[in-house]
Amino acid sequence: MSVELRYEYKYFVPMDKIDLLRKMIRPYTVLDKFADSQPDKHYTVRSIYFETPDFECYWTKLAHNKHRNKVRLRGYNLEDGKNLVFMEIKRKYEAPILKNRAPLLFEDFKKVLRNEKKLEDFLTNDGKMKNALDNSKRFFYNVYARKMKPVVTVIYEREPFLSAYNNPDNNLRITFDKNLRGCPYPTIDDLFSEKHVQYTLRGHFILEVKFNQFCPAWMKAIIGTLGLHKESASKYCMCIDAHNMIKTNNRFDTLSHGRMFREYYD
């Protein structure tokens, strides 16, 4: 199954503690291979988040609803003409996190939006990422059935670490998410753009500890030593708030669903 049951603990950490935190986790972790291949040992995450006309995803997060989801298109680093993007639905059910994810080349994704190609031309339910076709259909069903539109691109640099001890059942992943920023009301073509960017969470980064079964005792000890406390840290909501989009969402209200995507739907 491509839906993986995960737990996520999040913490706000002052930037002046990042070197100390790296040193503390070093005996237990290794840098993710993709990040290790990058010049600065991190990569840039870019996600266009989709919303309903009444900002359902935003409000259910603020209300701490136990069952909620987010719909997003995710890409990495800079646009180079061969970017792989991911259609994602991230769902919270009680405490665990579940994710439906499907990969597609960015140019092929836009062809699907333009109705030039069908998902079946690119995706199957076999291969490395099982259920990719089903997951992509879930993505488009949510966008169309819930009249969702892209409202903000959330961007940050991610420094990811994996456990140095092979435990595939737990799949521990620790990430430092830095330089959080957002761009309001993007089109799909703006996934790799930073037009009208607004930074938020200055002076801090977000530490995320992700696992399938348990948070290691050594990580709990490090968190306690640094005096960190688990927080509700929604990058999506923080970027929405940075642009005051809920108070001044006139553009969202006046654009029709088709107009936002018209270059692809026509």
PDB file of all heavy atoms in Angstrom, residues 11 13 17-29 172 174 176 207 209 215-229:
ATOM      1  N   TYR A  11       8.359  20.830  16.496  1.00  0.00           N
ATOM      2  CA  TYR A  11       8.896  21.733  17.511  1.00  0.00           C
ATOM      3  C   TYR A  11       9.436  22.988  16.831  1.00  0.00           C
ATOM      4  O   TYR A  11      10.062  22.911  15.764  1.00  0.00           O
ATOM      5  CB  TYR A  11      10.039  21.063  18.284  1.00  0.00           C
ATOM      6  CG  TYR A  11       9.687  19.718  18.853  1.00  0.00           C
ATOM      7  CD1 TYR A  11       9.809  18.558  18.069  1.00  0.00           C
ATOM      8  CD2 TYR A  11       9.225  19.574  20.154  1.00  0.00           C
ATOM      9  CE1 TYR A  11       9.476  17.314  18.584  1.00  0.00           C
ATOM     10  CE2 TYR A  11       8.895  18.325  20.679  1.00  0.00           C
ATOM     11  CZ  TYR A  11       9.026  17.202  19.880  1.00  0.00           C
ATOM     12  OH  TYR A  11       8.691  15.964  20.378  1.00  0.00           O
ATOM     13  N   VAL A  13      12.270  25.693  16.940  1.00  0.00           N
ATOM     14  CA  VAL A  13      13.619  25.733  17.505  1.00  0.00           C
ATOM     15  C   VAL A  13      14.306  27.023  17.071  1.00  0.00           C
ATOM     16  O   VAL A  13      14.303  27.359  15.880  1.00  0.00           O
ATOM     17  CB  VAL A  13      14.458  24.523  17.037  1.00  0.00           C
ATOM     18  CG1 VAL A  13      15.806  24.505  17.746  1.00  0.00           C
ATOM     19  CG2 VAL A  13      13.700  23.215  17.263  1.00  0.00           C
ATOM     20  N   LYS A  17      20.292  27.440  17.779  1.00  0.00           N
ATOM     21  CA  LYS A  17      20.505  26.106  18.344  1.00  0.00           C
ATOM     22  C   LYS A  17      20.690  25.041  17.270  1.00  0.00           C
ATOM     23  O   LYS A  17      20.824  23.849  17.585  1.00  0.00           O
ATOM     24  CB  LYS A  17      19.317  25.720  19.238  1.00  0.00           C
ATOM     25  CG  LYS A  17      19.242  26.503  20.540  1.00  0.00           C
ATOM     26  CD  LYS A  17      18.147  25.966  21.446  1.00  0.00           C
ATOM     27  CE  LYS A  17      18.125  26.710  22.777  1.00  0.00           C
ATOM     28  NZ  LYS A  17      17.083  26.162  23.692  1.00  0.00           N
ATOM     29  N   ILE A  18      20.716  25.449  15.998  1.00  0.00           N
ATOM     30  CA  ILE A  18      20.740  24.441  14.930  1.00  0.00           C
ATOM     31  C   ILE A  18      22.047  23.654  14.917  1.00  0.00           C
ATOM     32  O   ILE A  18      22.050  22.430  14.722  1.00  0.00           O
ATOM     33  CB  ILE A  18      20.447  25.085  13.556  1.00  0.00           C
ATOM     34  CG1 ILE A  18      20.141  23.994  12.523  1.00  0.00           C
ATOM     35  CG2 ILE A  18      21.603  25.980  13.087  1.00  0.00           C
ATOM     36  CD1 ILE A  18      19.548  24.530  11.232  1.00  0.00           C
ATOM     37  N   ASP A  19      23.176  24.317  15.139  1.00  0.00           N
ATOM     38  CA  ASP A  19      24.456  23.597  15.148  1.00  0.00           C
ATOM     39  C   ASP A  19      24.531  22.623  16.316  1.00  0.00           C
ATOM     40  O   ASP A  19      25.038  21.498  16.171  1.00  0.00           O
ATOM     41  CB  ASP A  19      25.623  24.585  15.211  1.00  0.00           C
ATOM     42  CG  ASP A  19      25.811  25.347  13.907  1.00  0.00           C
ATOM     43  OD1 ASP A  19      25.404  24.811  12.854  1.00  0.00           O
ATOM     44  OD2 ASP A  19      26.347  26.469  13.946  1.00  0.00           O
ATOM     45  N   LEU A  20      24.031  23.033  17.477  1.00  0.00           N
ATOM     46  CA  LEU A  20      24.013  22.152  18.643  1.00  0.00           C
ATOM     47  C   LEU A  20      23.126  20.943  18.382  1.00  0.00           C
ATOM     48  O   LEU A  20      23.498  19.809  18.711  1.00  0.00           O
ATOM     49  CB  LEU A  20      23.517  22.919  19.870  1.00  0.00           C
ATOM     50  CG  LEU A  20      23.316  22.097  21.148  1.00  0.00           C
ATOM     51  CD1 LEU A  20      24.632  21.446  21.578  1.00  0.00           C
ATOM     52  CD2 LEU A  20      22.749  22.973  22.263  1.00  0.00           C
ATOM     53  N   LEU A  21      21.972  21.160  17.779  1.00  0.00           N
ATOM     54  CA  LEU A  21      21.064  20.049  17.497  1.00  0.00           C
ATOM     55  C   LEU A  21      21.689  19.075  16.497  1.00  0.00           C
ATOM     56  O   LEU A  21      21.588  17.846  16.663  1.00  0.00           O
ATOM     57  CB  LEU A  21      19.734  20.589  16.966  1.00  0.00           C
ATOM     58  CG  LEU A  21      18.630  19.556  16.721  1.00  0.00           C
ATOM     59  CD1 LEU A  21      18.367  18.715  17.962  1.00  0.00           C
ATOM     60  CD2 LEU A  21      17.344  20.249  16.275  1.00  0.00           C
ATOM     61  N   ARG A  22      22.357  19.601  15.471  1.00  0.00           N
ATOM     62  CA  ARG A  22      23.062  18.725  14.526  1.00  0.00           C
ATOM     63  C   ARG A  22      24.076  17.842  15.260  1.00  0.00           C
ATOM     64  O   ARG A  22      24.189  16.639  14.995  1.00  0.00           O
ATOM     65  CB  ARG A  22      23.793  19.557  13.468  1.00  0.00           C
ATOM     66  CG  ARG A  22      22.911  20.214  12.424  1.00  0.00           C
ATOM     67  CD  ARG A  22      23.788  20.834  11.341  1.00  0.00           C
ATOM     68  NE  ARG A  22      23.018  21.631  10.405  1.00  0.00           N
ATOM     69  CZ  ARG A  22      23.111  22.963  10.282  1.00  0.00           C
ATOM     70  NH1 ARG A  22      23.969  23.634  11.057  1.00  0.00           N
ATOM     71  NH2 ARG A  22      22.374  23.600   9.407  1.00  0.00           N
ATOM     72  N   LYS A  23      24.833  18.468  16.161  1.00  0.00           N
ATOM     73  CA  LYS A  23      25.858  17.739  16.901  1.00  0.00           C
ATOM     74  C   LYS A  23      25.235  16.662  17.792  1.00  0.00           C
ATOM     75  O   LYS A  23      25.770  15.546  17.901  1.00  0.00           O
ATOM     76  CB  LYS A  23      26.668  18.726  17.751  1.00  0.00           C
ATOM     77  CG  LYS A  23      27.798  18.098  18.532  1.00  0.00           C
ATOM     78  CD  LYS A  23      28.581  19.157  19.317  1.00  0.00           C
ATOM     79  CE  LYS A  23      29.709  18.529  20.117  1.00  0.00           C
ATOM     80  NZ  LYS A  23      30.464  19.566  20.893  1.00  0.00           N
ATOM     81  N   MET A  24      24.091  16.974  18.388  1.00  0.00           N
ATOM     82  CA  MET A  24      23.459  16.037  19.317  1.00  0.00           C
ATOM     83  C   MET A  24      22.876  14.814  18.611  1.00  0.00           C
ATOM     84  O   MET A  24      22.888  13.703  19.154  1.00  0.00           O
ATOM     85  CB  MET A  24      22.382  16.765  20.132  1.00  0.00           C
ATOM     86  CG  MET A  24      22.941  17.838  21.056  1.00  0.00           C
ATOM     87  SD  MET A  24      21.659  18.782  21.914  1.00  0.00           S
ATOM     88  CE  MET A  24      21.233  17.675  23.242  1.00  0.00           C
ATOM     89  N   ILE A  25      22.360  15.001  17.395  1.00  0.00           N
ATOM     90  CA  ILE A  25      21.758  13.855  16.705  1.00  0.00           C
ATOM     91  C   ILE A  25      22.774  13.082  15.856  1.00  0.00           C
ATOM     92  O   ILE A  25      22.482  11.983  15.381  1.00  0.00           O
ATOM     93  CB  ILE A  25      20.562  14.282  15.819  1.00  0.00           C
ATOM     94  CG1 ILE A  25      21.025  15.094  14.602  1.00  0.00           C
ATOM     95  CG2 ILE A  25      19.518  15.035  16.632  1.00  0.00           C
ATOM     96  CD1 ILE A  25      19.923  15.345  13.586  1.00  0.00           C
ATOM     97  N   ARG A  26      23.975  13.633  15.671  1.00  0.00           N
ATOM     98  CA  ARG A  26      24.962  13.039  14.758  1.00  0.00           C
ATOM     99  C   ARG A  26      25.280  11.573  15.079  1.00  0.00           C
ATOM    100  O   ARG A  26      25.415  10.756  14.156  1.00  0.00           O
ATOM    101  CB  ARG A  26      26.235  13.886  14.756  1.00  0.00           C
ATOM    102  CG  ARG A  26      27.252  13.460  13.687  1.00  0.00           C
ATOM    103  CD  ARG A  26      28.421  14.426  13.653  1.00  0.00           C
ATOM    104  NE  ARG A  26      27.974  15.782  13.303  1.00  0.00           N
ATOM    105  CZ  ARG A  26      28.450  16.891  13.847  1.00  0.00           C
ATOM    106  NH1 ARG A  26      29.376  16.826  14.795  1.00  0.00           N
ATOM    107  NH2 ARG A  26      27.995  18.066  13.462  1.00  0.00           N
ATOM    108  N   PRO A  27      25.434  11.179  16.348  1.00  0.00           N
ATOM    109  CA  PRO A  27      25.782   9.767  16.605  1.00  0.00           C
ATOM    110  C   PRO A  27      24.686   8.780  16.203  1.00  0.00           C
ATOM    111  O   PRO A  27      24.966   7.580  16.077  1.00  0.00           O
ATOM    112  CB  PRO A  27      26.000   9.736  18.131  1.00  0.00           C
ATOM    113  CG  PRO A  27      26.259  11.157  18.513  1.00  0.00           C
ATOM    114  CD  PRO A  27      25.427  11.977  17.586  1.00  0.00           C
ATOM    115  N   TYR A  28      23.473   9.275  16.002  1.00  0.00           N
ATOM    116  CA  TYR A  28      22.337   8.380  15.779  1.00  0.00           C
ATOM    117  C   TYR A  28      21.756   8.459  14.371  1.00  0.00           C
ATOM    118  O   TYR A  28      20.860   7.683  14.027  1.00  0.00           O
ATOM    119  CB  TYR A  28      21.217   8.719  16.770  1.00  0.00           C
ATOM    120  CG  TYR A  28      21.677   8.844  18.188  1.00  0.00           C
ATOM    121  CD1 TYR A  28      21.908  10.104  18.761  1.00  0.00           C
ATOM    122  CD2 TYR A  28      21.891   7.716  18.979  1.00  0.00           C
ATOM    123  CE1 TYR A  28      22.336  10.224  20.075  1.00  0.00           C
ATOM    124  CE2 TYR A  28      22.319   7.829  20.289  1.00  0.00           C
ATOM    125  CZ  TYR A  28      22.538   9.088  20.836  1.00  0.00           C
ATOM    126  OH  TYR A  28      22.964   9.211  22.129  1.00  0.00           O
ATOM    127  N   THR A  29      22.237   9.391  13.543  1.00  0.00           N
ATOM    128  CA  THR A  29      21.594   9.649  12.263  1.00  0.00           C
ATOM    129  C   THR A  29      22.607   9.769  11.121  1.00  0.00           C
ATOM    130  O   THR A  29      23.803   9.946  11.347  1.00  0.00           O
ATOM    131  CB  THR A  29      20.771  10.954  12.308  1.00  0.00           C
ATOM    132  OG1 THR A  29      21.659  12.061  12.547  1.00  0.00           O
ATOM    133  CG2 THR A  29      19.699  10.901  13.384  1.00  0.00           C
ATOM    134  N   LEU A 172      12.311   6.011  10.882  1.00  0.00           N
ATOM    135  CA  LEU A 172      12.535   7.306  11.535  1.00  0.00           C
ATOM    136  C   LEU A 172      13.078   8.324  10.539  1.00  0.00           C
ATOM    137  O   LEU A 172      13.973   8.029   9.753  1.00  0.00           O
ATOM    138  CB  LEU A 172      13.517   7.143  12.687  1.00  0.00           C
ATOM    139  CG  LEU A 172      13.902   8.438  13.417  1.00  0.00           C
ATOM    140  CD1 LEU A 172      12.724   8.980  14.219  1.00  0.00           C
ATOM    141  CD2 LEU A 172      15.112   8.189  14.330  1.00  0.00           C
ATOM    142  N   ILE A 174      14.063  12.633  10.643  1.00  0.00           N
ATOM    143  CA  ILE A 174      14.151  13.888  11.391  1.00  0.00           C
ATOM    144  C   ILE A 174      14.488  14.986  10.397  1.00  0.00           C
ATOM    145  O   ILE A 174      15.445  14.861   9.627  1.00  0.00           O
ATOM    146  CB  ILE A 174      15.235  13.797  12.484  1.00  0.00           C
ATOM    147  CG1 ILE A 174      14.860  12.716  13.510  1.00  0.00           C
ATOM    148  CG2 ILE A 174      15.431  15.148  13.180  1.00  0.00           C
ATOM    149  CD1 ILE A 174      15.981  12.369  14.471  1.00  0.00           C
ATOM    150  N   PHE A 176      14.928  19.327   9.583  1.00  0.00           N
ATOM    151  CA  PHE A 176      15.011  20.732   9.971  1.00  0.00           C
ATOM    152  C   PHE A 176      14.442  21.530   8.789  1.00  0.00           C
ATOM    153  O   PHE A 176      15.031  21.514   7.702  1.00  0.00           O
ATOM    154  CB  PHE A 176      16.458  21.166  10.202  1.00  0.00           C
ATOM    155  CG  PHE A 176      17.223  20.391  11.247  1.00  0.00           C
ATOM    156  CD1 PHE A 176      18.590  20.587  11.393  1.00  0.00           C
ATOM    157  CD2 PHE A 176      16.590  19.468  12.074  1.00  0.00           C
ATOM    158  CE1 PHE A 176      19.313  19.883  12.346  1.00  0.00           C
ATOM    159  CE2 PHE A 176      17.313  18.760  13.029  1.00  0.00           C
ATOM    160  CZ  PHE A 176      18.677  18.964  13.165  1.00  0.00           C
ATOM    161  N   LEU A 207      11.522  21.742  13.663  1.00  0.00           N
ATOM    162  CA  LEU A 207      12.044  20.392  13.805  1.00  0.00           C
ATOM    163  C   LEU A 207      10.862  19.432  13.723  1.00  0.00           C
ATOM    164  O   LEU A 207       9.879  19.584  14.456  1.00  0.00           O
ATOM    165  CB  LEU A 207      12.760  20.238  15.148  1.00  0.00           C
ATOM    166  CG  LEU A 207      13.043  18.801  15.617  1.00  0.00           C
ATOM    167  CD1 LEU A 207      14.053  18.117  14.708  1.00  0.00           C
ATOM    168  CD2 LEU A 207      13.520  18.802  17.075  1.00  0.00           C
ATOM    169  N   VAL A 209       9.918  15.279  13.815  1.00  0.00           N
ATOM    170  CA  VAL A 209      10.343  13.913  14.093  1.00  0.00           C
ATOM    171  C   VAL A 209       9.214  13.003  13.629  1.00  0.00           C
ATOM    172  O   VAL A 209       8.103  13.059  14.157  1.00  0.00           O
ATOM    173  CB  VAL A 209      10.623  13.704  15.593  1.00  0.00           C
ATOM    174  CG1 VAL A 209      11.146  12.283  15.842  1.00  0.00           C
ATOM    175  CG2 VAL A 209      11.617  14.739  16.114  1.00  0.00           C
ATOM    176  N   CYS A 215       8.981   7.055  19.007  1.00  0.00           N
ATOM    177  CA  CYS A 215      10.029   8.072  19.014  1.00  0.00           C
ATOM    178  C   CYS A 215      11.171   7.541  19.874  1.00  0.00           C
ATOM    179  O   CYS A 215      10.962   7.201  21.050  1.00  0.00           O
ATOM    180  CB  CYS A 215       9.501   9.381  19.580  1.00  0.00           C
ATOM    181  SG  CYS A 215      10.715  10.725  19.601  1.00  0.00           S
ATOM    182  N   PRO A 216      12.385   7.442  19.318  1.00  0.00           N
ATOM    183  CA  PRO A 216      13.493   6.831  20.068  1.00  0.00           C
ATOM    184  C   PRO A 216      13.784   7.553  21.376  1.00  0.00           C
ATOM    185  O   PRO A 216      13.630   8.783  21.480  1.00  0.00           O
ATOM    186  CB  PRO A 216      14.676   6.957  19.099  1.00  0.00           C
ATOM    187  CG  PRO A 216      14.068   7.121  17.757  1.00  0.00           C
ATOM    188  CD  PRO A 216      12.783   7.864  17.964  1.00  0.00           C
ATOM    189  N   ALA A 217      14.243   6.792  22.366  1.00  0.00           N
ATOM    190  CA  ALA A 217      14.547   7.363  23.680  1.00  0.00           C
ATOM    191  C   ALA A 217      15.625   8.429  23.575  1.00  0.00           C
ATOM    192  O   ALA A 217      15.571   9.453  24.270  1.00  0.00           O
ATOM    193  CB  ALA A 217      14.977   6.247  24.635  1.00  0.00           C
ATOM    194  N   TRP A 218      16.622   8.238  22.698  1.00  0.00           N
ATOM    195  CA  TRP A 218      17.692   9.230  22.566  1.00  0.00           C
ATOM    196  C   TRP A 218      17.157  10.554  22.018  1.00  0.00           C
ATOM    197  O   TRP A 218      17.645  11.624  22.404  1.00  0.00           O
ATOM    198  CB  TRP A 218      18.831   8.704  21.712  1.00  0.00           C
ATOM    199  CG  TRP A 218      18.471   8.261  20.318  1.00  0.00           C
ATOM    200  CD1 TRP A 218      18.213   6.987  19.911  1.00  0.00           C
ATOM    201  CD2 TRP A 218      18.325   9.095  19.162  1.00  0.00           C
ATOM    202  NE1 TRP A 218      17.913   6.963  18.570  1.00  0.00           N
ATOM    203  CE2 TRP A 218      17.981   8.246  18.083  1.00  0.00           C
ATOM    204  CE3 TRP A 218      18.468  10.459  18.933  1.00  0.00           C
ATOM    205  CZ2 TRP A 218      17.760   8.718  16.788  1.00  0.00           C
ATOM    206  CZ3 TRP A 218      18.254  10.946  17.643  1.00  0.00           C
ATOM    207  CH2 TRP A 218      17.900  10.087  16.587  1.00  0.00           C
ATOM    208  N   MET A 219      16.139  10.489  21.131  1.00  0.00           N
ATOM    209  CA  MET A 219      15.563  11.723  20.598  1.00  0.00           C
ATOM    210  C   MET A 219      14.737  12.426  21.665  1.00  0.00           C
ATOM    211  O   MET A 219      14.759  13.658  21.780  1.00  0.00           O
ATOM    212  CB  MET A 219      14.710  11.423  19.367  1.00  0.00           C
ATOM    213  CG  MET A 219      14.298  12.684  18.606  1.00  0.00           C
ATOM    214  SD  MET A 219      15.739  13.523  17.899  1.00  0.00           S
ATOM    215  CE  MET A 219      15.200  15.238  17.877  1.00  0.00           C
ATOM    216  N   LYS A 220      14.033  11.658  22.464  1.00  0.00           N
ATOM    217  CA  LYS A 220      13.265  12.256  23.565  1.00  0.00           C
ATOM    218  C   LYS A 220      14.206  12.963  24.541  1.00  0.00           C
ATOM    219  O   LYS A 220      13.892  14.049  25.048  1.00  0.00           O
ATOM    220  CB  LYS A 220      12.471  11.180  24.299  1.00  0.00           C
ATOM    221  CG  LYS A 220      11.317  10.598  23.501  1.00  0.00           C
ATOM    222  CD  LYS A 220      10.581   9.535  24.309  1.00  0.00           C
ATOM    223  CE  LYS A 220       9.425   8.932  23.540  1.00  0.00           C
ATOM    224  NZ  LYS A 220       8.733   7.860  24.300  1.00  0.00           N
ATOM    225  N   ALA A 221      15.359  12.368  24.802  1.00  0.00           N
ATOM    226  CA  ALA A 221      16.332  12.972  25.719  1.00  0.00           C
ATOM    227  C   ALA A 221      16.870  14.281  25.152  1.00  0.00           C
ATOM    228  O   ALA A 221      17.037  15.272  25.883  1.00  0.00           O
ATOM    229  CB  ALA A 221      17.472  11.993  25.990  1.00  0.00           C
ATOM    230  N   ILE A 222      17.143  14.316  23.845  1.00  0.00           N
ATOM    231  CA  ILE A 222      17.641  15.542  23.204  1.00  0.00           C
ATOM    232  C   ILE A 222      16.586  16.639  23.262  1.00  0.00           C
ATOM    233  O   ILE A 222      16.890  17.798  23.586  1.00  0.00           O
ATOM    234  CB  ILE A 222      18.039  15.237  21.747  1.00  0.00           C
ATOM    235  CG1 ILE A 222      19.299  14.372  21.715  1.00  0.00           C
ATOM    236  CG2 ILE A 222      18.247  16.532  20.958  1.00  0.00           C
ATOM    237  CD1 ILE A 222      19.644  13.842  20.340  1.00  0.00           C
ATOM    238  N   ILE A 223      15.349  16.289  23.001  1.00  0.00           N
ATOM    239  CA  ILE A 223      14.258  17.259  23.044  1.00  0.00           C
ATOM    240  C   ILE A 223      14.120  17.833  24.449  1.00  0.00           C
ATOM    241  O   ILE A 223      13.960  19.048  24.632  1.00  0.00           O
ATOM    242  CB  ILE A 223      12.943  16.594  22.584  1.00  0.00           C
ATOM    243  CG1 ILE A 223      13.003  16.316  21.076  1.00  0.00           C
ATOM    244  CG2 ILE A 223      11.737  17.470  22.913  1.00  0.00           C
ATOM    245  CD1 ILE A 223      11.918  15.367  20.586  1.00  0.00           C
ATOM    246  N   GLY A 224      14.229  16.963  25.456  1.00  0.00           N
ATOM    247  CA  GLY A 224      14.147  17.425  26.833  1.00  0.00           C
ATOM    248  C   GLY A 224      15.310  18.318  27.220  1.00  0.00           C
ATOM    249  O   GLY A 224      15.134  19.345  27.889  1.00  0.00           O
ATOM    250  N   THR A 225      16.514  17.951  26.794  1.00  0.00           N
ATOM    251  CA  THR A 225      17.704  18.745  27.106  1.00  0.00           C
ATOM    252  C   THR A 225      17.599  20.154  26.526  1.00  0.00           C
ATOM    253  O   THR A 225      18.010  21.137  27.171  1.00  0.00           O
ATOM    254  CB  THR A 225      18.964  18.049  26.556  1.00  0.00           C
ATOM    255  OG1 THR A 225      19.095  16.764  27.176  1.00  0.00           O
ATOM    256  CG2 THR A 225      20.213  18.882  26.840  1.00  0.00           C
ATOM    257  N   LEU A 226      17.050  20.268  25.331  1.00  0.00           N
ATOM    258  CA  LEU A 226      16.912  21.583  24.681  1.00  0.00           C
ATOM    259  C   LEU A 226      15.681  22.350  25.159  1.00  0.00           C
ATOM    260  O   LEU A 226      15.477  23.495  24.764  1.00  0.00           O
ATOM    261  CB  LEU A 226      16.849  21.397  23.159  1.00  0.00           C
ATOM    262  CG  LEU A 226      18.118  20.867  22.485  1.00  0.00           C
ATOM    263  CD1 LEU A 226      17.899  20.683  20.999  1.00  0.00           C
ATOM    264  CD2 LEU A 226      19.298  21.813  22.740  1.00  0.00           C
ATOM    265  N   GLY A 227      14.872  21.713  26.001  1.00  0.00           N
ATOM    266  CA  GLY A 227      13.686  22.396  26.525  1.00  0.00           C
ATOM    267  C   GLY A 227      12.627  22.645  25.469  1.00  0.00           C
ATOM    268  O   GLY A 227      11.885  23.647  25.547  1.00  0.00           O
ATOM    269  N   LEU A 228      12.512  21.745  24.487  1.00  0.00           N
ATOM    270  CA  LEU A 228      11.532  21.915  23.415  1.00  0.00           C
ATOM    271  C   LEU A 228      10.197  21.303  23.812  1.00  0.00           C
ATOM    272  O   LEU A 228      10.138  20.342  24.584  1.00  0.00           O
ATOM    273  CB  LEU A 228      12.047  21.261  22.129  1.00  0.00           C
ATOM    274  CG  LEU A 228      13.412  21.726  21.622  1.00  0.00           C
ATOM    275  CD1 LEU A 228      13.800  20.960  20.364  1.00  0.00           C
ATOM    276  CD2 LEU A 228      13.404  23.230  21.361  1.00  0.00           C
ATOM    277  N   HIS A 229       9.134  21.854  23.245  1.00  0.00           N
ATOM    278  CA  HIS A 229       7.791  21.361  23.523  1.00  0.00           C
ATOM    279  C   HIS A 229       7.059  21.107  22.215  1.00  0.00           C
ATOM    280  O   HIS A 229       7.137  21.908  21.289  1.00  0.00           O
ATOM    281  CB  HIS A 229       7.009  22.371  24.368  1.00  0.00           C
ATOM    282  CG  HIS A 229       7.666  22.690  25.675  1.00  0.00           C
ATOM    283  ND1 HIS A 229       7.559  21.868  26.777  1.00  0.00           N
ATOM    284  CD2 HIS A 229       8.465  23.737  26.045  1.00  0.00           C
ATOM    285  CE1 HIS A 229       8.257  22.404  27.783  1.00  0.00           C
ATOM    286  NE2 HIS A 229       8.815  23.529  27.361  1.00  0.00           N
TER     287      HIS A 229
END
